[in-house]
């Protein structure tokens, strides 16, 4: 059966089931297309014998090695050298791309089940490859190769070599946040059997040959296992935090850290076992970066997506930063980071971006900032978190609806069109955002359609819990109304 790459290569990355959607044949075609669409056109002219290079890494999934080998063959056949860096986190691959200033490819499906795999592609310097920056062209050319045949290997075929960059990655992160002088902290780290179990011992411990830090790390599920036998490696789902929360309390730890499968996202738990929201972490880390930037005599810029708490722009603006609000999604955030020379960016999904890390996202560096902020003073994390969470939010709520446009239209009718809805501000930067923040009671909500499923995603925030719950329930009742309910209302 012919393979349709539109089901595999989406807006941000490559992700699908192995082997029906994603197999070595497909990986080789994507490698060949990536070479011709991105790598070769952007190669720096040099000596005739010089060939461009690509760094390729993978997570712990069993399907990774053969997919990497096939992808590398596609690149080499096109005249591109391949540097396989082996097992790594996604931010480890971004480090390789940035430090070596070459394009990169990370084979991972993040927190998806074991039957999945995928690729996150980037240009030299860890610059993103998304739907608006080359991914569509890669997909179209790879589809041509699958429907026909691959080009013959070039005469000057590329070489495939191996290079371990874990120690360099760990040393680089430590150069950005110095944890040597903090007070001793006990931290439970839940790697979820993902790549955090590989990177945390190197960065926070001594596995990469670095000096010991004043950290007592309690490991949870550090064994690399792409079948995720203990729980899904997705820290945004509360059920996946239960073991970490219990372990933090059991070990009387100062905090807990949870990483997703490819360890580019990090979620934080306080000493009581309570989650600290990604928005609060964005504010905490953002203020550290703002102060550092101001100390260097520069005006800092901070990026946040539109689902992030209003507390983030409040704190950043008060600290003297320029604040830029953007759409949801790492390719959009990275583009805005680079365009604005932003020092830091954060998302509600626990992705954190740093200018000093090639404008890319890294959960480990965000975790180190949290450790530094906690260890440089005597207050517990719960006290710090409370400062940065002044408002109450619903979290993201998904609703499966038969007619997405009709459901959205009902919300617009009730909150925007009808009289009595109150003075609201409306924008459509990403979905529908309705805000009543400039007058009391203060609230806002965003309603976004999924790109791949018949889902509407709702996020609500308010200055107090009663108002948040009222707006949340009102909007959900409109979104989820059945035809019978609508008829009865008439």
């Amino acid at each position: 059966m012919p393979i349709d790459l539109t089901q595999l290569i989406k807006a941000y990355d490559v992700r699908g089931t192995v082997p029906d959607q994603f197999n070595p044949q497909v990986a080789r075609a994507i490698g060949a297309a990536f070479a011709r669409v991105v790598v070769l056109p952007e190669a720096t002219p040099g000596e005739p014998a010089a060939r461009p290079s690509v760094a390729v890494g993978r997570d712990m999934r069993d399907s990774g090695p053969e997919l990497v080998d096939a992808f590398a063959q596609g690149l080499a056949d096109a005249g591109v050298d391949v540097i396989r860096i082996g097992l790594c986190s996604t931010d480890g691959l971004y480090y390789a791309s940035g430090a070596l200033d070459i394009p990169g490819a990370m084979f991972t499906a993040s927190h998806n089940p074991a039957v999945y795999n995928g690729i996150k592609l980037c240009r030299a310097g860890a610059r993103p490859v998304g739907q608006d920056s080359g991914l569509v062209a890669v997909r179209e050319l790879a589809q041509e190769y699958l429907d026909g045949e691959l080009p013959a290997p070039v005469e000057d075929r590329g070489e495939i070599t191996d290079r371990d960059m874990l120690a360099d990655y760990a040393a680089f992160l430590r150069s950005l946040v110095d944890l040597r002088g903090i007070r001793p902290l006990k931290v439970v780290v839940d790697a979820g059997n993902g790549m955090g179990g590989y990177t945390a011992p190197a960065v926070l411990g001594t596995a990469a040959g670095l000096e010991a830090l004043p950290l007592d790390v309690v490991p949870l599920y550090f064994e690399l296992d792409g079948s995720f036998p203990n729980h899904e490696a997705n820290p945004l789902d509360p059920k996946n935090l239960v073991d970490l929360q219990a372990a933090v309390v059991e070990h009387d730890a100062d905090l807990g850290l949870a990483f997703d499968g490819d360890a580019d996202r990090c979620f934080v738990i306080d000493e009581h076992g309570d989650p600290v929201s990604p928005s609060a972490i964005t504010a905490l880390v953002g203020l550290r970066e703002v102060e550092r930037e101001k100390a260097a005599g520069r005006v800092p810029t901070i990026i946040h997506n539109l689902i992030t708490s209003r507390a983030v722009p409040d704190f950043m603006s008060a600290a003297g930063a320029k604040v830029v609000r953007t759409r949801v999604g790492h390719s959009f955030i990275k583009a805005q980071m680079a365009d604005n020379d932003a020092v830091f960016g954060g998302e509600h999904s626990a992705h954190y971006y740093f200018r000093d890390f090639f404008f890319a996202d890294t959960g480990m560096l965000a975790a180190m900032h949290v450790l530094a902020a906690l260890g440089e003073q005597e207050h517990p994390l719960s006290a710090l978190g409370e400062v940065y969470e002044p408002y109450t939010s619903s979290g993201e709520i998904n609703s499966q609806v038969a007619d997405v446009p009709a459901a959205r239209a009902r919300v617009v009718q009730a909150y925007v069109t009808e009289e009595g809805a109150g003075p609201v501000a409306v924008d459509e930067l990403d979905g529908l955002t309705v805000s009543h923040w400039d007058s009391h009671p203060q609230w806002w909500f965003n309603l976004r359609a999924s790109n791949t499923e018949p889902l509407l995603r709702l996020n609500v925030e308010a200055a107090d819990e009663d108002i948040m719950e009222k707006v949340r329930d009102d909007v959900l009742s409109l979104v989820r109304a059945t035809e019978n309910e609508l008829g009865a209302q008439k």
Side-chain angles (χ1 to χ4, degrees), residues 20-235:
D20 55 319
Q21 291 181 315
F22 195 26
N23 54 48
Q25 178 191 12
V26 173
R28 189 164 187 163
I30 295 173
F34 183 53
R36 291 169 174 83
V37 171
V38 174
V39 183
L40 293 170
E42 295 191 358
T44 302
E47 297 298 323
R51 289 187 299 263
S53 298
V54 171
V56 182
R58 64 177 179 88
D59 69 12
M60 62 289 148
R61 294 167 188 272
D62 290 342
S63 59
E66 69 171 356
L67 293 173
V68 165
D69 288 347
F71 181 83
Q73 292 296 330
L75 287 166
D77 285 347
V80 175
D81 287 343
V82 179
I83 302 172
R84 294 183 302 200
I85 66 171
L87 286 168
C88 65
S89 57
T90 288
D91 64 326
L93 184 278
Y94 292 152
Y95 166 74
S97 173
L100 301 176
D101 197 25
I102 60 176
M106 175 66 188
F107 278 72
T108 181
S110 188
H111 61 275
N112 285 89
V115 70
Y116 284 81
N117 213 323
I119 321 173
K120 294 180 179 179
L121 300 169
C122 63
R123 288 180 157 80
R127 292 178 295 135
V129 176
Q131 65 178 4
D132 299 326
S133 51
L135 194 56
V136 172
V138 170
R139 183 185 69 204
E140 291 173 347
L141 185 55
Q143 188 72 64
E144 288 183 26
Y145 293 156
L146 289 173
D147 293 342
E149 60 182 22
L150 289 166
V154 300
E155 183 177 344
D156 186 23
R157 193 174 180 278
E159 296 180 356
I160 300 174
T161 57
D162 296 301
R163 179 172 176 179
D164 185 354
M165 298 194 69
L166 179 62
D168 293 340
Y169 157 80
F172 181 71
L173 289 183
R174 286 207 188 181
S175 75
L176 299 178
V177 178
D178 189 353
L179 296 173
R180 292 173 297 178
I182 65 171
R183 63 183 170 94
L185 296 174
K186 179 180 284 189
V187 52
V188 182
V189 178
D190 184 349
N193 299 110
M195 293 312 301
Y198 185 72
T199 58
V203 179
L204 304 181
T206 58
L210 301 177
E211 66 178 294
L213 296 172
L215 299 173
D216 179 5
V217 177
V218 179
L220 198 61
Y221 311 138
F222 272 29
E223 305 80 17
L224 300 183
D225 189 338
S227 68
F228 306 116
N230 295 288
H231 60 72
E232 186 184 54
N234 179 12

Side-chain angles (χ1 to χ4, degrees), residues 8-21:
L8 176 70
I9 304 178
K10 302 294 180 61
Y12 310 123
D13 58 19
V14 178
R15 195 171 304 188
T17 53
V18 178
D20 55 319
Q21 291 181 315

